[in-house]
Amino acid sequence: MSKAIIIQYIFDKKSKKGEEMDIEKCRALLCIIQKGSLTAAGQALGYTPSGISRMVASLEDECGFSLLIRGRNGAFATKECEKLLPGIIKMVDAQESLLNDIDRILGIETGHIEVGSAHSYYYGWLAKTIAEFGKVYPKITIGVTEGISSELMKMTEEGKLDMAIVSRREKGMRWIPLKKDRVIAWVPRDHPAVQLGKLPLKELETEPFIEMYPGVETDNSRMFAKNNIKVNARFSATDNFAAYSMVSEGLGITTVNGIFATMWQGDGVAVLPLDPPQMVDIGIALPRMEDSSPALKKFVEFIEQRLPEYPLTTR
């Protein structure tokens, strides 16, 4: 019996209109929601924009209601679609698991892994690891999604990501530590704290502060809450280089993970430790191994075997 016949038998799901609900359409829908764009999803899955749009339209016809909100800022799940997502994710994962089981019986290692990363510092290491892994398992594909730690953790919990390189969150997932990182301050070069050699944490309440990702849980917001700090937020940014440039122009100060400390260097910015010191744990968050796909298990084993080769715990 062929793979196609097996899949047709197991996933012969019917919508209320009595039509077959195509797993590939569901996969496309999940990719659109993850990428936030029909065009980006089409590129990832190998479909033209019109082709992937037709797939979504067909799936919406089968469901009997809209699944996506389309606008200038991208494509997002409707409230009705959000209610379906857990079941759709399980259905797509079940198909992939079955196909992987068949391939393993045939002696073929296949699958797809979606990795999130909140820290651009690790892109080079991640790219090198993926390249080496691909030489051993050429039929396992890997995608990379960027974002902030809290968002990526939520996506991992929901099954939209298989694993994520993030600052630690208390979510009960498996955790592979990579680095203990200090939080540092970027201040203008002529700031009085430069002579002191450190920035007292309480000064964040009085100094003009450039807030990163306002309204979103970040390492900064968690640090402020832990220390009962209410920053004097005068400006905001959603990009580290933008915040660095604003500090360089003397608009204010900001705090960032230490791994960004040497990514940009200019005459206008000084890097200072905080007083008292503030630390963040950075690592890989992923489901418990018993809940992981065979492809993910292979990738995690590959990473753990090679961690000693890379200087990931020092900076």
Side-chain angles (χ1 to χ4, degrees):
M1 184 178 291
S2 70
K3 284 187 192 178
I5 294 174
I6 295 173
I7 296 302
Q8 175 65 33
Y9 174 76
I10 293 181
F11 294 101
D12 187 20
K13 304 293 185 183
K14 303 295 181 179
S15 71
K16 61 185 178 183
K17 291 187 176 181
E19 298 170 348
E20 179 186 341
M21 183 166 286
D22 193 323
I23 299 291
E24 191 61 22
K25 296 175 188 174
C26 293
R27 193 187 306 279
L29 175 66
L30 293 179
C31 190
I32 293 168
I33 294 171
Q34 179 185 27
K35 301 291 185 182
S37 162
L38 273 77
T39 300
Q43 291 173 345
L45 297 175
Y47 293 106
T48 63
S50 59
I52 201 162
S53 182
R54 285 195 299 270
M55 294 173 75
V56 174
S58 174
L59 195 55
E60 289 178 329
D61 285 343
E62 294 177 26
C63 292
F65 48 79
S66 296
L67 297 170
L68 293 176
I69 299 172
R70 301 167 177 83
R72 292 182 180 179
N73 295 325
F76 309 92
T78 62
K79 291 182 179 179
E80 293 79 8
C81 180
E82 289 178 352
K83 294 177 182 178
L84 295 181
L85 284 179
I88 291 175
I89 291 171
K90 287 181 181 179
M91 186 166 64
V92 172
D93 285 348
Q95 184 205 36
E96 182 170 334
S97 178
L98 177 60
L99 289 174
N100 288 341
D101 287 342
I102 295 171
D103 284 331
R104 281 200 308 277
I105 292 171
L106 296 174
I108 305 170
E109 293 289 351
T110 64
H112 178 76
I113 303 165
E114 197 66 31
V115 182
S117 180
H119 300 289
S120 54
Y121 169 68
Y122 287 105
Y123 286 161
W125 166 77
L126 186 57
K128 182 177 181 179
T129 302
I130 291 172
E132 293 178 353
F133 182 77
K135 295 175 183 177
V136 182
Y137 302 101
K139 293 186 178 294
I140 296 178
T141 59
I142 300 177
V144 179
T145 297
E146 66 171 337
I148 62 177
S149 292
S150 295
E151 293 176 346
L152 296 179
M153 282 294 293
K154 185 173 185 294
M155 293 174 70
T156 305
E157 284 185 294
E158 294 173 345
K160 297 175 184 177
L161 294 176
D162 294 293
M163 56 179 281
I165 301 173
V166 293
S167 300
R168 190 163 194 170
R169 301 290 187 264
E170 293 72 29
K171 296 290 185 179
M173 289 189 171
R174 185 181 178 202
W175 180 255
I176 301 175
L178 296 179
K179 175 181 176 65
K180 280 191 174 294
D181 191 33
R182 60 177 182 157
V183 181
I184 57 94
W186 279 334
V187 304
R189 182 67 67 179
D190 58 359
H191 193 281
V194 174
Q195 296 297 322
L196 183 63
K198 57 187 176 182
L199 182 73
L201 202 58
K202 282 295 182 181
E203 288 198 22
L204 300 177
E205 295 187 322
T206 56
E207 292 283 336
F209 189 80
I210 301 164
E211 188 175 10
M212 297 293 293
Y213 298 97
V216 178
E217 184 190 64
T218 63
D219 291 345
N220 275 349
S221 70
R222 288 164 61 88
M223 177 183 70
F224 302 150
K226 176 184 175 182
N227 291 278
N228 297 312
I229 297 290
K230 184 174 177 59
V231 296
N232 178 27
R234 294 283 303 280
F235 306 96
S236 64
T238 56
D239 177 83
N240 284 304
F241 182 65
Y244 182 92
S245 300
M246 295 167 78
V247 173
S248 179
E249 292 299 321
L251 294 178
I253 65 177
T254 195
T255 54
V256 294
N257 293 84
I259 56 177
F260 297 114
T262 59
M263 291 186 70
W264 303 287
Q265 298 184 23
D267 295 335
V269 178
V271 177
L272 295 179
L274 294 174
D275 182 28
Q278 304 294 310
M279 303 298 294
V280 172
D281 289 331
I282 297 176
I284 301 172
L286 64 158
R288 301 292 177 183
M289 290 306 286
E290 58 267 23
D291 299 323
S292 300
S293 68
L296 180 58
K297 290 178 180 178
K298 292 287 185 183
F299 190 53
V300 172
E301 289 172 4
F302 191 87
I303 288 174
E304 291 182 318
Q305 290 170 0
R306 283 157 179 77
L307 278 180
E309 300 175 18
Y310 301 103
L312 295 179
T313 56
T314 59
R315 177 73 177 173

